[in-house]
């Protein structure tokens, strides 16, 4: 998330630097919102092991103890404080490993009694602190190119934008599927054009009734059979845009193409067998889409919001999802967006920003200036302190931060105890 810098703003006609306390509080609010989004739906006090395989949770890999295991948020605080932790953001269907056979010398302090292993857990190179097809750490001290890291929704690995095989990355996507997963789950190419809402499905073999989301149905030209067939209709972009490859069906008596305005869902065809007896038969949306010519590329794909709702959920496709271990793909609650939304909903009504503004309003002008100056002093000293770690390539630990504030507090006491000096002429 883009955020405003806390660096003091320098006037064009003055060497003096200044920062607004409101800017400080706003920056704090944005950082708090980011943390709440990632960690808000995770338990900070209790190990998640008793809850089994959590659909989605924040995870960490402890490189100090074991580079091929994942621990929950609470265990990262309680059992691995001061260790070299690799933040994994979130992973799906994972059970906390802390204290099991992967940690032979360390028992979990929050939930000591655990099975030896979690058979359903899956691990990738992220647990070793490596990412992307380049298999490099992030941040990479040897990589001078600034690049965005994007997580694949299927394998959940993270990739540099420049390593996805795409010339341009769209700015309005919600989820990404990497090149390797598009090869592994190649049926998704049939949905790729569909998800971008650029084409419509039209059966060239038979005339059909088109369901446009209204109560009534307009019968298309050329229909003479007694059966009634409803084809799935993808949503359109705009009211006048028509795909150059597959035109929209127009109905008899209308001079303009009728745009569709309903989300695609699984439909059923009713086939008349004998007399008044009707049999309901499931139609497979995927098979309808695969009748077209799909453009398969050696690149990642980017998907807009709610694209999962457009996937076929007929019995055959559901069996395919289950057999391939990707039933999550039709679960909208599996998305990171849904996870972050749950975290934000748990956020306390009063944020640090609100508390800060309330505290400021109770101060007079002199106190406000002193608070701002104190913040600027702390910011400068902290930057200087942390610069040493960056130059030496050392990891900043919790005890280092505590030491910094202890030293700062000691200097503050020394200044307060020093006698006031008078300068007389």
């Amino acid at each position: 998330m883009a955020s405003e810098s806390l660096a003091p703003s320098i006037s064009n006609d003055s060497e003096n630097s200044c920062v607004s306390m409101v800017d400080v509080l706003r920056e704090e609010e944005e950082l708090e919102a980011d943390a709440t989004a990632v960690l808000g739906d995770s338990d900070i006090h209790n190990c998640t092991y008793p809850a089994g395989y959590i659909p989605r949770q924040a995870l960490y890999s402890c490189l100090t103890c074991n580079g091929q295991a994942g621990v929950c948020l609470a265990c990262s605080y309680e059992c691995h404080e001061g260790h070299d932790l690799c933040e994994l953001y979130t992973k799906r269907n994972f059970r906390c490993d802390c204290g099991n056979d992967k940690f032979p010398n360390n028992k979990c302090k929050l939930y000591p009694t655990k099975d030896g292993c979690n058979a359903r857990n899956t691990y990738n190179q992220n647990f070793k602190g490596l990412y992307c097809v380049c298999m490099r750490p992030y941040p990479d001290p040897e990589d001078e190119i600034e690049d965005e890291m994007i997580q694949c929704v299927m394998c959940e690995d993270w990739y540099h934008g420049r390593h996805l095989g795409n010339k341009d990355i769209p700015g309005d996507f919600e989820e990404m599927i990497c090149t390797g997963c598009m090869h592994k789950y190649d049926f998704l190419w049939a949905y790729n054009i569909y998800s971008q809402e650029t084409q419509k499905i039209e059966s060239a073999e038979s005339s059909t009734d088109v369901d446009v989301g209204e109560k009534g149905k307009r019968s298309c030209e050329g229909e003479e059979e007694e059966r009634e067939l409803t084809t799935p209709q993808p949503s359109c972009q705009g009211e006048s845009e028509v795909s150059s490859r597959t035109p929209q069906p127009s109905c008899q008596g209308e001079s303009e193409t009728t745009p569709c305005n309903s989300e695609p869902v699984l439909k059923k065809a009713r086939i008349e067998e004998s007399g008044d007896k009707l049999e309901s038969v499931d139609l497979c949306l995927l098979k309808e889409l695969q009748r077209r010519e799909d453009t398969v590329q050696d690149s990642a794909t980017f998907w807009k919001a709610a694209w999962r709702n457009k996937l076929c959920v007929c019995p055959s496709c559901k069996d395919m999802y289950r057999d391939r271990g990707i039933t999550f793909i039709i679960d909208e609650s599996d998305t990171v967006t849904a996870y972050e939304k749950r975290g934000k909903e748990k956020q306390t009504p009063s944020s640090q920003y609100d508390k800060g503004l309330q505290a400021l309003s109770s101060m007079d002008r002199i106190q406000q200036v002193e608070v701002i100056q104190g913040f600027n002093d702390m910011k400068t000293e902290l930057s200087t302190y942390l610069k040493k770690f960056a130059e030496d390539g050392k990891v900043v630990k919790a005890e280092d931060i505590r030491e910094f504030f202890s030293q700062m507090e000691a200097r503050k006491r020394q200044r307060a105890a020093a006698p006031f000096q008078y300068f007389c002429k």
Side-chain angles (χ1 to χ4, degrees):
M1 178 183 293
S3 59
E4 299 178 11
S5 174
L6 282 180
S9 58
I10 301 177
S11 174
N12 293 333
D13 56 355
S14 174
E15 294 294 330
N16 295 328
S17 62
C18 62
V19 61
S20 166
M21 193 62 189
V22 174
D23 293 336
V24 174
L25 294 174
R26 186 178 293 114
E27 177 73 10
E28 177 68 21
E29 182 185 35
E30 292 174 352
L31 293 173
E32 184 180 359
D34 288 344
T36 300
V38 178
L39 307 177
D41 199 35
S42 297
D43 194 335
I44 195 174
H45 301 293
N46 302 293
C47 177
T48 59
Y49 180 87
Y53 294 87
I54 307 296
R56 184 169 292 282
Q57 65 174 316
L59 285 179
Y60 298 82
S61 175
C62 184
L63 302 181
T64 302
C65 298
N66 186 324
Q68 192 64 21
V71 300
C72 67
L73 178 62
C75 287
S76 72
Y77 290 146
E78 185 67 26
C79 308
H80 301 270
E81 183 182 4
H83 291 191
D84 185 7
L85 292 174
C86 179
E87 184 178 359
L88 302 176
Y89 195 48
T90 68
K91 298 289 185 183
R92 70 167 63 91
N93 298 330
F94 199 94
R95 196 174 196 182
C96 181
D97 283 325
C98 181
N100 66 11
D101 290 349
K102 291 180 176 291
F103 300 88
N105 300 321
N106 297 282
K107 287 294 182 181
C108 179
K109 300 177 183 178
L110 298 177
Y111 198 88
T113 306
K114 295 183 178 180
D115 293 337
C117 68
N118 298 314
R120 289 167 51 190
N121 282 357
T122 58
Y123 308 88
N124 60 16
Q125 63 175 350
N126 297 168
F127 289 80
K128 297 180 180 179
L130 303 177
Y131 305 89
C132 192
V133 293
C134 60
M135 295 184 291
R136 296 292 301 169
Y138 182 83
D140 188 349
E142 299 180 5
D143 187 4
E144 298 180 354
I145 302 176
E146 292 187 5
D147 199 356
E148 181 182 12
M149 295 291 286
I150 308 174
Q151 187 179 34
C152 172
V153 70
M154 302 300 287
C155 66
E156 296 194 299
D157 198 352
W158 291 81
Y159 296 85
H160 294 98
R162 65 183 186 273
H163 293 159
L164 291 174
N166 301 72
K167 293 183 179 179
D168 299 306
I169 297 178
D172 58 346
F173 73 95
E174 180 170 296
E175 294 184 304
M176 181 275 291
I177 300 179
C178 70
T179 307
C181 287
M182 286 304 298
H183 285 303
K184 184 176 181 180
Y185 308 107
D186 56 356
F187 72 90
L188 289 171
W189 283 109
Y191 291 103
N192 184 43
I193 298 178
Y194 180 45
S195 71
Q196 302 303 320
E197 302 179 345
T198 59
Q199 293 211 2
K200 300 188 180 308
I201 305 169
E202 181 183 26
S203 176
E205 300 178 356
S206 62
S207 300
T208 63
D209 283 347
V210 180
D211 181 3
V212 293
E214 301 174 356
K215 292 183 178 180
K217 295 182 179 180
R218 293 187 287 272
S219 182
C220 291
E221 182 179 8
E223 173 142 22
E224 297 177 353
E225 301 180 13
E226 293 183 353
R227 70 177 183 172
E228 178 180 87
L229 177 64
T230 302
T231 59
Q233 297 290 317
S235 56
C236 304
Q237 286 184 339
E239 296 183 355
S240 59
E241 297 179 359
V242 182
S243 170
S244 59
R245 289 179 54 186
T246 310
Q248 300 184 30
S250 58
C251 298
Q252 186 176 12
E254 295 184 347
S255 59
E256 297 181 354
T257 302
T258 303
C260 62
N261 55 14
S262 60
E263 290 294 329
V265 294
L266 186 65
K267 305 295 184 181
K268 293 179 181 294
R270 295 184 300 165
I271 303 177
E272 186 173 356
E273 290 186 339
S274 60
D276 296 329
K277 182 180 179 182
L278 296 176
E279 180 182 358
S280 183
V281 180
D282 287 319
L283 286 180
C284 179
L285 173 60
L286 177 59
K287 291 180 180 178
E288 283 290 325
L289 291 168
Q290 288 176 333
R291 292 180 183 179
R292 307 171 311 171
E293 292 184 8
D294 298 323
T295 302
V296 178
Q297 303 175 6
D298 190 28
S299 64
T301 53
F302 298 85
W303 306 77
K304 294 185 178 180
W307 70 273
R308 300 188 186 208
N309 292 334
K310 299 179 181 180
L311 300 180
C312 182
V313 289
C314 74
S316 176
C317 283
K318 282 186 174 180
D319 290 342
M320 183 263 290
Y321 301 145
R322 184 181 63 254
D323 294 342
R324 304 187 73 168
I326 55 173
T327 54
F328 60 83
I329 202 173
I330 54 175
D331 181 8
E332 196 69 29
S333 66
D334 170 76
T335 64
V336 173
T337 300
Y339 171 86
E340 292 180 345
K341 182 180 179 181
R342 292 192 296 270
K344 290 178 180 179
E345 289 174 349
K346 293 181 179 180
Q347 187 175 10
T348 56
S350 180
S351 65
Q352 292 295 331
Y353 178 75
D354 297 328
K355 295 176 181 177
L357 287 181
Q358 189 175 21
L360 273 180
S361 64
S362 63
M363 299 179 185
D364 58 31
R365 178 63 179 170
I366 296 177
Q367 289 174 322
Q368 291 178 356
V369 171
E370 290 176 346
V371 168
I372 293 295
Q373 177 150 8
F375 172 81
N376 281 330
D377 291 342
M378 183 197 69
K379 179 176 178 292
T380 302
E381 293 181 21
L382 182 60
S383 297
T384 303
Y385 181 76
L386 295 178
K387 186 177 180 180
K388 300 175 183 177
F389 289 86
E391 292 173 348
D392 298 337
K394 296 174 60 178
V395 176
V396 181
K397 300 180 181 180
E399 52 265 30
D400 298 323
I401 300 299
R402 285 194 289 267
E403 180 185 359
F404 166 78
F405 282 104
S406 296
Q407 294 174 357
M408 190 173 180
E409 185 65 25
R411 289 193 295 270
K412 182 179 177 181
R413 286 195 297 268
Q414 289 175 358
R415 288 194 297 267
F420 187 81
Q421 297 183 11
Y422 297 91
F423 298 92
C424 300
K425 292 184 179 181

